[in-house]
Amino acid sequence: MMLRFLRTLTHSSTSWHVSCTRLVRRPYCSVSVDTKVLECGAQVELHHPRWPHSLYLPYLWLRDHCRCPLCYNHKTHQRIYDVNDINLNIRPAAVSTTKEVLKIKWPDGHNSEYEYKFLWQNSFEGQRTSYKVPRLLWKATTFPAAHLTTVPLGDLYDPEKDGVRRLIYSVIRHGFAFISEVPADTESTEAAIEKICLIKKTFFGEMWSMQANNFKHYDTAYSTDFIGAHTDNTYFSQASRIQVFHCLQPATEGGKTLLVDGFNIAKQFQEKYPEGYEFLSSEAIPSEFIEEGKHHLSLDTVFKNNPVTGNIQQIRYNIYDRAPLSSLPMKKIQEFYLHFNNLTRIVRNPKNEYWLKLEPGTVLLSDNWRLMHGRSNFSGMRAMTGCYLDNEEFTSKARSLNIQLD
């Protein structure tokens, strides 16, 4: 690895550096400086042979991220050292490298060591190019094959089959996944889902069941009517991350399930209507759910982007749960309807719609932050069961399985 200190002299525009170069048969190189060169700039440039680019690490950041037992509790994974005690202009007394770690001695005599893997995974420069699960955007004609998205129930119980990890990977990559060979009852569905993470409790309960025209709740889902593509829980401040569906009894006629890749919709909309994408990413729209004793109301944007990468992180699109449009001044009303209608036309483009018939024994897990779902109208006693999974629980499980998220 190479360690380089950068400095711009205060009395000249000339720049200089002290560096080391790998030598033949030398396992590592090191550079140390004493207190005479504490003014060597505010950061260190560090390069490792396995890295695609250097890291530029401020000394302030390094002191704050010391992982020695005096600064960090490795049992609770919480910080001990008070960030307020750090000199904002801190410089090292000495710096060196070994094959495994970057070593820094601070002016107060404190010693810190940083594993290179830790630095890469936790710095901005490293995160920027670290591997993330690649999202595969799809349309009706490019819907992912079943062998890429389906995990048999038995694989969830067999650690050697890595079934849970494969299932979560598919949800993140494609927006959905299936569990096959699940007995067609609520209890078996619940047991399968609990292998992934805790089930979220909402006013629908934990596991819900639904039969045609049995209105346990005042929601169109309990009817036999057609429902267009949408995401759920737009009336919650944080919509559930995963929605689970298991058809226990198919409809006599109709009742097909509609899936639309919301991230592909966002991409198409942004490319065709960039002003509309900006508008629906910045203007909050109200959504609500009302029934006896309940009135859920939330204000949020249709598109939510990662605050660091800028990548699409969530789509909140539900034409049924829109509340009265009181969040926008009248001068913006026409603009909203223009952009929202343009978006709706893309959502309803048949090229973006994939229809399938859910059958007993196959459980669908849908990423409700990405995947829009709907259904055709039907007749007969169609029976469904399912549940929601919270974003915090689902992503926590993914990280524990070393699945890197955007």
PDB file of all heavy atoms in Angstrom, residues 38-71:
ATOM      1  N   LEU A  38       3.586  18.471  11.884  1.00  0.00           N
ATOM      2  CA  LEU A  38       2.161  18.414  12.208  1.00  0.00           C
ATOM      3  C   LEU A  38       1.312  19.253  11.260  1.00  0.00           C
ATOM      4  O   LEU A  38       0.111  19.095  11.208  1.00  0.00           O
ATOM      5  CB  LEU A  38       1.934  18.890  13.647  1.00  0.00           C
ATOM      6  CG  LEU A  38       2.384  17.917  14.742  1.00  0.00           C
ATOM      7  CD1 LEU A  38       2.162  18.526  16.095  1.00  0.00           C
ATOM      8  CD2 LEU A  38       1.657  16.599  14.619  1.00  0.00           C
ATOM      9  N   GLU A  39       1.937  20.149  10.502  1.00  0.00           N
ATOM     10  CA  GLU A  39       1.185  20.997   9.583  1.00  0.00           C
ATOM     11  C   GLU A  39       1.084  20.366   8.193  1.00  0.00           C
ATOM     12  O   GLU A  39       0.958  21.061   7.189  1.00  0.00           O
ATOM     13  CB  GLU A  39       1.855  22.371   9.486  1.00  0.00           C
ATOM     14  CG  GLU A  39       1.800  23.160  10.774  1.00  0.00           C
ATOM     15  CD  GLU A  39       2.468  24.507  10.628  1.00  0.00           C
ATOM     16  OE1 GLU A  39       1.835  25.421  10.068  1.00  0.00           O
ATOM     17  OE2 GLU A  39       3.619  24.631  11.061  1.00  0.00           O
ATOM     18  N   CYS A  40       1.171  19.045   8.115  1.00  0.00           N
ATOM     19  CA  CYS A  40       1.153  18.341   6.824  1.00  0.00           C
ATOM     20  C   CYS A  40      -0.254  18.235   6.245  1.00  0.00           C
ATOM     21  O   CYS A  40      -0.651  17.174   5.755  1.00  0.00           O
ATOM     22  CB  CYS A  40       1.750  16.950   6.979  1.00  0.00           C
ATOM     23  SG  CYS A  40       3.536  16.941   7.005  1.00  0.00           S
ATOM     24  N   GLY A  41      -1.038  19.279   6.310  1.00  0.00           N
ATOM     25  CA  GLY A  41      -2.365  19.235   5.727  1.00  0.00           C
ATOM     26  C   GLY A  41      -3.366  18.567   6.634  1.00  0.00           C
ATOM     27  O   GLY A  41      -3.051  18.079   7.717  1.00  0.00           O
ATOM     28  N   ALA A  42      -4.620  18.518   6.207  1.00  0.00           N
ATOM     29  CA  ALA A  42      -5.715  18.035   7.044  1.00  0.00           C
ATOM     30  C   ALA A  42      -6.115  16.595   6.764  1.00  0.00           C
ATOM     31  O   ALA A  42      -7.010  16.068   7.417  1.00  0.00           O
ATOM     32  CB  ALA A  42      -6.932  18.936   6.858  1.00  0.00           C
ATOM     33  N   GLN A  43      -5.465  15.935   5.793  1.00  0.00           N
ATOM     34  CA  GLN A  43      -5.903  14.589   5.450  1.00  0.00           C
ATOM     35  C   GLN A  43      -4.734  13.731   5.006  1.00  0.00           C
ATOM     36  O   GLN A  43      -3.631  14.218   4.746  1.00  0.00           O
ATOM     37  CB  GLN A  43      -6.951  14.643   4.335  1.00  0.00           C
ATOM     38  CG  GLN A  43      -6.411  15.150   3.001  1.00  0.00           C
ATOM     39  CD  GLN A  43      -7.488  15.254   1.942  1.00  0.00           C
ATOM     40  OE1 GLN A  43      -8.653  15.051   2.216  1.00  0.00           O
ATOM     41  NE2 GLN A  43      -7.081  15.554   0.718  1.00  0.00           N
ATOM     42  N   VAL A  44      -4.997  12.424   4.956  1.00  0.00           N
ATOM     43  CA  VAL A  44      -4.020  11.469   4.471  1.00  0.00           C
ATOM     44  C   VAL A  44      -4.594  10.793   3.227  1.00  0.00           C
ATOM     45  O   VAL A  44      -5.795  10.525   3.147  1.00  0.00           O
ATOM     46  CB  VAL A  44      -3.669  10.422   5.553  1.00  0.00           C
ATOM     47  CG1 VAL A  44      -4.893   9.636   5.972  1.00  0.00           C
ATOM     48  CG2 VAL A  44      -2.589   9.461   5.059  1.00  0.00           C
ATOM     49  N   GLU A  45      -3.751  10.574   2.259  1.00  0.00           N
ATOM     50  CA  GLU A  45      -4.145   9.814   1.076  1.00  0.00           C
ATOM     51  C   GLU A  45      -3.630   8.389   1.254  1.00  0.00           C
ATOM     52  O   GLU A  45      -2.443   8.173   1.502  1.00  0.00           O
ATOM     53  CB  GLU A  45      -3.565  10.411  -0.195  1.00  0.00           C
ATOM     54  CG  GLU A  45      -3.918   9.575  -1.438  1.00  0.00           C
ATOM     55  CD  GLU A  45      -3.217  10.070  -2.696  1.00  0.00           C
ATOM     56  OE1 GLU A  45      -2.579  11.130  -2.616  1.00  0.00           O
ATOM     57  OE2 GLU A  45      -3.304   9.381  -3.724  1.00  0.00           O
ATOM     58  N   LEU A  46      -4.530   7.446   1.129  1.00  0.00           N
ATOM     59  CA  LEU A  46      -4.189   6.043   1.367  1.00  0.00           C
ATOM     60  C   LEU A  46      -4.613   5.208   0.174  1.00  0.00           C
ATOM     61  O   LEU A  46      -5.743   5.317  -0.304  1.00  0.00           O
ATOM     62  CB  LEU A  46      -4.890   5.547   2.638  1.00  0.00           C
ATOM     63  CG  LEU A  46      -4.571   4.136   3.133  1.00  0.00           C
ATOM     64  CD1 LEU A  46      -3.107   4.037   3.545  1.00  0.00           C
ATOM     65  CD2 LEU A  46      -5.476   3.763   4.295  1.00  0.00           C
ATOM     66  N   HIS A  47      -3.678   4.392  -0.295  1.00  0.00           N
ATOM     67  CA  HIS A  47      -3.992   3.513  -1.422  1.00  0.00           C
ATOM     68  C   HIS A  47      -3.633   2.079  -1.070  1.00  0.00           C
ATOM     69  O   HIS A  47      -2.599   1.812  -0.486  1.00  0.00           O
ATOM     70  CB  HIS A  47      -3.235   3.921  -2.681  1.00  0.00           C
ATOM     71  CG  HIS A  47      -3.521   3.027  -3.849  1.00  0.00           C
ATOM     72  ND1 HIS A  47      -4.718   3.081  -4.528  1.00  0.00           N
ATOM     73  CD2 HIS A  47      -2.790   2.051  -4.437  1.00  0.00           C
ATOM     74  CE1 HIS A  47      -4.699   2.172  -5.492  1.00  0.00           C
ATOM     75  NE2 HIS A  47      -3.551   1.535  -5.454  1.00  0.00           N
ATOM     76  N   HIS A  48      -4.551   1.159  -1.427  1.00  0.00           N
ATOM     77  CA  HIS A  48      -4.347  -0.265  -1.199  1.00  0.00           C
ATOM     78  C   HIS A  48      -4.391  -0.979  -2.549  1.00  0.00           C
ATOM     79  O   HIS A  48      -5.180  -0.604  -3.426  1.00  0.00           O
ATOM     80  CB  HIS A  48      -5.441  -0.805  -0.272  1.00  0.00           C
ATOM     81  CG  HIS A  48      -5.205  -2.200   0.220  1.00  0.00           C
ATOM     82  ND1 HIS A  48      -5.485  -3.308  -0.539  1.00  0.00           N
ATOM     83  CD2 HIS A  48      -4.709  -2.668   1.395  1.00  0.00           C
ATOM     84  CE1 HIS A  48      -5.188  -4.395   0.146  1.00  0.00           C
ATOM     85  NE2 HIS A  48      -4.713  -4.037   1.323  1.00  0.00           N
ATOM     86  N   PRO A  49      -3.577  -2.013  -2.747  1.00  0.00           N
ATOM     87  CA  PRO A  49      -3.545  -2.686  -4.055  1.00  0.00           C
ATOM     88  C   PRO A  49      -4.891  -3.201  -4.537  1.00  0.00           C
ATOM     89  O   PRO A  49      -5.124  -3.307  -5.742  1.00  0.00           O
ATOM     90  CB  PRO A  49      -2.560  -3.843  -3.831  1.00  0.00           C
ATOM     91  CG  PRO A  49      -1.684  -3.393  -2.720  1.00  0.00           C
ATOM     92  CD  PRO A  49      -2.560  -2.565  -1.827  1.00  0.00           C
ATOM     93  N   ARG A  50      -5.790  -3.514  -3.606  1.00  0.00           N
ATOM     94  CA  ARG A  50      -7.091  -4.064  -4.000  1.00  0.00           C
ATOM     95  C   ARG A  50      -8.142  -2.985  -4.234  1.00  0.00           C
ATOM     96  O   ARG A  50      -9.255  -3.292  -4.627  1.00  0.00           O
ATOM     97  CB  ARG A  50      -7.587  -5.029  -2.925  1.00  0.00           C
ATOM     98  CG  ARG A  50      -6.725  -6.282  -2.791  1.00  0.00           C
ATOM     99  CD  ARG A  50      -7.343  -7.259  -1.805  1.00  0.00           C
ATOM    100  NE  ARG A  50      -6.543  -8.472  -1.677  1.00  0.00           N
ATOM    101  CZ  ARG A  50      -6.847  -9.476  -0.858  1.00  0.00           C
ATOM    102  NH1 ARG A  50      -7.929  -9.410  -0.100  1.00  0.00           N
ATOM    103  NH2 ARG A  50      -6.074 -10.543  -0.805  1.00  0.00           N
ATOM    104  N   TRP A  51      -7.799  -1.746  -3.973  1.00  0.00           N
ATOM    105  CA  TRP A  51      -8.764  -0.670  -4.143  1.00  0.00           C
ATOM    106  C   TRP A  51      -8.681  -0.085  -5.548  1.00  0.00           C
ATOM    107  O   TRP A  51      -7.590   0.075  -6.097  1.00  0.00           O
ATOM    108  CB  TRP A  51      -8.500   0.439  -3.131  1.00  0.00           C
ATOM    109  CG  TRP A  51      -8.703   0.044  -1.708  1.00  0.00           C
ATOM    110  CD1 TRP A  51      -9.290  -1.090  -1.231  1.00  0.00           C
ATOM    111  CD2 TRP A  51      -8.304   0.795  -0.553  1.00  0.00           C
ATOM    112  NE1 TRP A  51      -9.285  -1.095   0.138  1.00  0.00           N
ATOM    113  CE2 TRP A  51      -8.684   0.047   0.590  1.00  0.00           C
ATOM    114  CE3 TRP A  51      -7.661   2.016  -0.370  1.00  0.00           C
ATOM    115  CZ2 TRP A  51      -8.444   0.484   1.887  1.00  0.00           C
ATOM    116  CZ3 TRP A  51      -7.429   2.468   0.913  1.00  0.00           C
ATOM    117  CH2 TRP A  51      -7.824   1.712   2.029  1.00  0.00           C
ATOM    118  N   PRO A  52      -9.810   0.289  -6.118  1.00  0.00           N
ATOM    119  CA  PRO A  52      -9.786   0.903  -7.460  1.00  0.00           C
ATOM    120  C   PRO A  52      -9.322   2.354  -7.440  1.00  0.00           C
ATOM    121  O   PRO A  52      -8.995   2.914  -8.480  1.00  0.00           O
ATOM    122  CB  PRO A  52     -11.252   0.812  -7.914  1.00  0.00           C
ATOM    123  CG  PRO A  52     -12.032   0.788  -6.642  1.00  0.00           C
ATOM    124  CD  PRO A  52     -11.183   0.037  -5.651  1.00  0.00           C
ATOM    125  N   HIS A  53      -9.311   2.976  -6.280  1.00  0.00           N
ATOM    126  CA  HIS A  53      -8.842   4.355  -6.184  1.00  0.00           C
ATOM    127  C   HIS A  53      -8.391   4.621  -4.752  1.00  0.00           C
ATOM    128  O   HIS A  53      -8.656   3.838  -3.834  1.00  0.00           O
ATOM    129  CB  HIS A  53      -9.940   5.348  -6.585  1.00  0.00           C
ATOM    130  CG  HIS A  53     -11.209   5.216  -5.784  1.00  0.00           C
ATOM    131  ND1 HIS A  53     -11.333   5.683  -4.491  1.00  0.00           N
ATOM    132  CD2 HIS A  53     -12.406   4.662  -6.097  1.00  0.00           C
ATOM    133  CE1 HIS A  53     -12.544   5.431  -4.043  1.00  0.00           C
ATOM    134  NE2 HIS A  53     -13.211   4.805  -4.997  1.00  0.00           N
ATOM    135  N   SER A  54      -7.723   5.723  -4.557  1.00  0.00           N
ATOM    136  CA  SER A  54      -7.234   6.100  -3.241  1.00  0.00           C
ATOM    137  C   SER A  54      -8.379   6.577  -2.349  1.00  0.00           C
ATOM    138  O   SER A  54      -9.445   6.978  -2.831  1.00  0.00           O
ATOM    139  CB  SER A  54      -6.194   7.211  -3.349  1.00  0.00           C
ATOM    140  OG  SER A  54      -5.070   6.781  -4.082  1.00  0.00           O
ATOM    141  N   LEU A  55      -8.110   6.540  -1.047  1.00  0.00           N
ATOM    142  CA  LEU A  55      -9.013   7.165  -0.085  1.00  0.00           C
ATOM    143  C   LEU A  55      -8.338   8.421   0.442  1.00  0.00           C
ATOM    144  O   LEU A  55      -7.134   8.427   0.720  1.00  0.00           O
ATOM    145  CB  LEU A  55      -9.309   6.221   1.086  1.00  0.00           C
ATOM    146  CG  LEU A  55     -10.117   4.963   0.795  1.00  0.00           C
ATOM    147  CD1 LEU A  55     -10.378   4.208   2.097  1.00  0.00           C
ATOM    148  CD2 LEU A  55     -11.431   5.293   0.115  1.00  0.00           C
ATOM    149  N   TYR A  56      -9.125   9.468   0.592  1.00  0.00           N
ATOM    150  CA  TYR A  56      -8.633  10.711   1.190  1.00  0.00           C
ATOM    151  C   TYR A  56      -9.350  10.874   2.525  1.00  0.00           C
ATOM    152  O   TYR A  56     -10.541  11.183   2.560  1.00  0.00           O
ATOM    153  CB  TYR A  56      -8.899  11.892   0.258  1.00  0.00           C
ATOM    154  CG  TYR A  56      -8.149  11.779  -1.044  1.00  0.00           C
ATOM    155  CD1 TYR A  56      -8.702  11.101  -2.128  1.00  0.00           C
ATOM    156  CD2 TYR A  56      -6.871  12.319  -1.180  1.00  0.00           C
ATOM    157  CE1 TYR A  56      -8.006  10.972  -3.319  1.00  0.00           C
ATOM    158  CE2 TYR A  56      -6.168  12.198  -2.369  1.00  0.00           C
ATOM    159  CZ  TYR A  56      -6.742  11.528  -3.437  1.00  0.00           C
ATOM    160  OH  TYR A  56      -6.043  11.398  -4.621  1.00  0.00           O
ATOM    161  N   LEU A  57      -8.621  10.626   3.605  1.00  0.00           N
ATOM    162  CA  LEU A  57      -9.229  10.536   4.923  1.00  0.00           C
ATOM    163  C   LEU A  57      -8.769  11.695   5.796  1.00  0.00           C
ATOM    164  O   LEU A  57      -7.596  11.776   6.164  1.00  0.00           O
ATOM    165  CB  LEU A  57      -8.852   9.211   5.573  1.00  0.00           C
ATOM    166  CG  LEU A  57      -9.220   7.958   4.775  1.00  0.00           C
ATOM    167  CD1 LEU A  57      -8.568   6.726   5.380  1.00  0.00           C
ATOM    168  CD2 LEU A  57     -10.734   7.791   4.721  1.00  0.00           C
ATOM    169  N   PRO A  58      -9.666  12.585   6.171  1.00  0.00           N
ATOM    170  CA  PRO A  58      -9.309  13.675   7.083  1.00  0.00           C
ATOM    171  C   PRO A  58      -8.892  13.120   8.450  1.00  0.00           C
ATOM    172  O   PRO A  58      -9.466  12.157   8.953  1.00  0.00           O
ATOM    173  CB  PRO A  58     -10.608  14.492   7.186  1.00  0.00           C
ATOM    174  CG  PRO A  58     -11.386  14.138   5.956  1.00  0.00           C
ATOM    175  CD  PRO A  58     -11.052  12.701   5.682  1.00  0.00           C
ATOM    176  N   TYR A  59      -7.885  13.755   9.043  1.00  0.00           N
ATOM    177  CA  TYR A  59      -7.439  13.314  10.366  1.00  0.00           C
ATOM    178  C   TYR A  59      -8.556  13.464  11.394  1.00  0.00           C
ATOM    179  O   TYR A  59      -8.675  12.650  12.317  1.00  0.00           O
ATOM    180  CB  TYR A  59      -6.210  14.122  10.804  1.00  0.00           C
ATOM    181  CG  TYR A  59      -4.992  13.846   9.967  1.00  0.00           C
ATOM    182  CD1 TYR A  59      -4.357  14.874   9.275  1.00  0.00           C
ATOM    183  CD2 TYR A  59      -4.491  12.555   9.854  1.00  0.00           C
ATOM    184  CE1 TYR A  59      -3.242  14.626   8.493  1.00  0.00           C
ATOM    185  CE2 TYR A  59      -3.375  12.303   9.073  1.00  0.00           C
ATOM    186  CZ  TYR A  59      -2.755  13.339   8.392  1.00  0.00           C
ATOM    187  OH  TYR A  59      -1.647  13.070   7.632  1.00  0.00           O
ATOM    188  N   LEU A  60      -9.391  14.472  11.233  1.00  0.00           N
ATOM    189  CA  LEU A  60     -10.526  14.656  12.137  1.00  0.00           C
ATOM    190  C   LEU A  60     -11.458  13.449  12.081  1.00  0.00           C
ATOM    191  O   LEU A  60     -11.906  12.937  13.112  1.00  0.00           O
ATOM    192  CB  LEU A  60     -11.275  15.944  11.756  1.00  0.00           C
ATOM    193  CG  LEU A  60     -12.486  16.318  12.589  1.00  0.00           C
ATOM    194  CD1 LEU A  60     -12.108  16.519  14.044  1.00  0.00           C
ATOM    195  CD2 LEU A  60     -13.141  17.584  12.019  1.00  0.00           C
ATOM    196  N   TRP A  61     -11.741  12.984  10.875  1.00  0.00           N
ATOM    197  CA  TRP A  61     -12.590  11.791  10.693  1.00  0.00           C
ATOM    198  C   TRP A  61     -11.927  10.560  11.307  1.00  0.00           C
ATOM    199  O   TRP A  61     -12.582   9.758  11.975  1.00  0.00           O
ATOM    200  CB  TRP A  61     -12.842  11.573   9.199  1.00  0.00           C
ATOM    201  CG  TRP A  61     -13.787  10.452   8.860  1.00  0.00           C
ATOM    202  CD1 TRP A  61     -15.122  10.554   8.647  1.00  0.00           C
ATOM    203  CD2 TRP A  61     -13.457   9.057   8.702  1.00  0.00           C
ATOM    204  NE1 TRP A  61     -15.664   9.315   8.361  1.00  0.00           N
ATOM    205  CE2 TRP A  61     -14.655   8.380   8.385  1.00  0.00           C
ATOM    206  CE3 TRP A  61     -12.282   8.321   8.794  1.00  0.00           C
ATOM    207  CZ2 TRP A  61     -14.703   7.008   8.165  1.00  0.00           C
ATOM    208  CZ3 TRP A  61     -12.336   6.945   8.576  1.00  0.00           C
ATOM    209  CH2 TRP A  61     -13.526   6.302   8.265  1.00  0.00           C
ATOM    210  N   LEU A  62     -10.623  10.414  11.092  1.00  0.00           N
ATOM    211  CA  LEU A  62      -9.910   9.256  11.620  1.00  0.00           C
ATOM    212  C   LEU A  62      -9.933   9.238  13.146  1.00  0.00           C
ATOM    213  O   LEU A  62     -10.172   8.188  13.757  1.00  0.00           O
ATOM    214  CB  LEU A  62      -8.474   9.245  11.107  1.00  0.00           C
ATOM    215  CG  LEU A  62      -8.307   8.860   9.630  1.00  0.00           C
ATOM    216  CD1 LEU A  62      -6.919   9.231   9.134  1.00  0.00           C
ATOM    217  CD2 LEU A  62      -8.569   7.366   9.440  1.00  0.00           C
ATOM    218  N   ARG A  63      -9.705  10.398  13.773  1.00  0.00           N
ATOM    219  CA  ARG A  63      -9.737  10.404  15.238  1.00  0.00           C
ATOM    220  C   ARG A  63     -11.119  10.053  15.762  1.00  0.00           C
ATOM    221  O   ARG A  63     -11.265   9.319  16.735  1.00  0.00           O
ATOM    222  CB  ARG A  63      -9.316  11.788  15.773  1.00  0.00           C
ATOM    223  CG  ARG A  63      -9.263  11.830  17.317  1.00  0.00           C
ATOM    224  CD  ARG A  63      -8.213  10.848  17.822  1.00  0.00           C
ATOM    225  NE  ARG A  63      -8.249  10.661  19.269  1.00  0.00           N
ATOM    226  CZ  ARG A  63      -8.955   9.726  19.898  1.00  0.00           C
ATOM    227  NH1 ARG A  63      -9.734   8.894  19.183  1.00  0.00           N
ATOM    228  NH2 ARG A  63      -8.906   9.605  21.193  1.00  0.00           N
ATOM    229  N   ASP A  64     -12.139  10.537  15.103  1.00  0.00           N
ATOM    230  CA  ASP A  64     -13.516  10.254  15.516  1.00  0.00           C
ATOM    231  C   ASP A  64     -13.863   8.784  15.347  1.00  0.00           C
ATOM    232  O   ASP A  64     -14.734   8.264  16.048  1.00  0.00           O
ATOM    233  CB  ASP A  64     -14.483  11.116  14.709  1.00  0.00           C
ATOM    234  CG  ASP A  64     -15.932  10.934  15.123  1.00  0.00           C
ATOM    235  OD1 ASP A  64     -16.187  10.849  16.339  1.00  0.00           O
ATOM    236  OD2 ASP A  64     -16.811  10.886  14.228  1.00  0.00           O
ATOM    237  N   HIS A  65     -13.188   8.097  14.408  1.00  0.00           N
ATOM    238  CA  HIS A  65     -13.524   6.707  14.101  1.00  0.00           C
ATOM    239  C   HIS A  65     -12.522   5.709  14.667  1.00  0.00           C
ATOM    240  O   HIS A  65     -12.432   4.572  14.188  1.00  0.00           O
ATOM    241  CB  HIS A  65     -13.675   6.518  12.594  1.00  0.00           C
ATOM    242  CG  HIS A  65     -14.911   7.155  12.048  1.00  0.00           C
ATOM    243  ND1 HIS A  65     -15.016   8.506  11.800  1.00  0.00           N
ATOM    244  CD2 HIS A  65     -16.120   6.624  11.723  1.00  0.00           C
ATOM    245  CE1 HIS A  65     -16.225   8.778  11.344  1.00  0.00           C
ATOM    246  NE2 HIS A  65     -16.913   7.665  11.284  1.00  0.00           N
ATOM    247  N   CYS A  66     -11.785   6.104  15.676  1.00  0.00           N
ATOM    248  CA  CYS A  66     -10.902   5.149  16.355  1.00  0.00           C
ATOM    249  C   CYS A  66     -11.747   4.033  16.950  1.00  0.00           C
ATOM    250  O   CYS A  66     -12.768   4.283  17.599  1.00  0.00           O
ATOM    251  CB  CYS A  66     -10.103   5.854  17.445  1.00  0.00           C
ATOM    252  SG  CYS A  66      -9.027   4.728  18.377  1.00  0.00           S
ATOM    253  N   ARG A  67     -11.333   2.791  16.734  1.00  0.00           N
ATOM    254  CA  ARG A  67     -12.086   1.637  17.220  1.00  0.00           C
ATOM    255  C   ARG A  67     -11.335   0.890  18.329  1.00  0.00           C
ATOM    256  O   ARG A  67     -11.595  -0.293  18.568  1.00  0.00           O
ATOM    257  CB  ARG A  67     -12.410   0.691  16.063  1.00  0.00           C
ATOM    258  CG  ARG A  67     -13.518   1.198  15.121  1.00  0.00           C
ATOM    259  CD  ARG A  67     -14.765   1.498  15.907  1.00  0.00           C
ATOM    260  NE  ARG A  67     -15.939   1.738  15.095  1.00  0.00           N
ATOM    261  CZ  ARG A  67     -16.483   2.920  14.880  1.00  0.00           C
ATOM    262  NH1 ARG A  67     -15.906   4.000  15.368  1.00  0.00           N
ATOM    263  NH2 ARG A  67     -17.592   3.051  14.175  1.00  0.00           N
ATOM    264  N   CYS A  68     -10.453   1.557  19.028  1.00  0.00           N
ATOM    265  CA  CYS A  68      -9.787   0.919  20.163  1.00  0.00           C
ATOM    266  C   CYS A  68     -10.777   0.802  21.317  1.00  0.00           C
ATOM    267  O   CYS A  68     -11.795   1.516  21.353  1.00  0.00           O
ATOM    268  CB  CYS A  68      -8.543   1.707  20.577  1.00  0.00           C
ATOM    269  SG  CYS A  68      -8.901   3.137  21.621  1.00  0.00           S
ATOM    270  N   PRO A  69     -10.537  -0.082  22.301  1.00  0.00           N
ATOM    271  CA  PRO A  69     -11.483  -0.287  23.403  1.00  0.00           C
ATOM    272  C   PRO A  69     -11.719   0.956  24.261  1.00  0.00           C
ATOM    273  O   PRO A  69     -12.728   1.024  24.962  1.00  0.00           O
ATOM    274  CB  PRO A  69     -10.826  -1.403  24.227  1.00  0.00           C
ATOM    275  CG  PRO A  69      -9.923  -2.096  23.281  1.00  0.00           C
ATOM    276  CD  PRO A  69      -9.423  -1.043  22.347  1.00  0.00           C
ATOM    277  N   LEU A  70     -10.810   1.917  24.222  1.00  0.00           N
ATOM    278  CA  LEU A  70     -11.011   3.138  24.990  1.00  0.00           C
ATOM    279  C   LEU A  70     -11.970   4.103  24.294  1.00  0.00           C
ATOM    280  O   LEU A  70     -12.560   4.968  24.941  1.00  0.00           O
ATOM    281  CB  LEU A  70      -9.665   3.840  25.231  1.00  0.00           C
ATOM    282  CG  LEU A  70      -8.639   3.084  26.076  1.00  0.00           C
ATOM    283  CD1 LEU A  70      -7.336   3.870  26.141  1.00  0.00           C
ATOM    284  CD2 LEU A  70      -9.185   2.815  27.478  1.00  0.00           C
ATOM    285  N   CYS A  71     -12.112   3.947  22.997  1.00  0.00           N
ATOM    286  CA  CYS A  71     -12.938   4.862  22.206  1.00  0.00           C
ATOM    287  C   CYS A  71     -14.247   4.242  21.726  1.00  0.00           C
ATOM    288  O   CYS A  71     -15.179   4.966  21.360  1.00  0.00           O
ATOM    289  CB  CYS A  71     -12.155   5.367  20.987  1.00  0.00           C
ATOM    290  SG  CYS A  71     -10.698   6.348  21.392  1.00  0.00           S
TER     291      CYS A  71
END
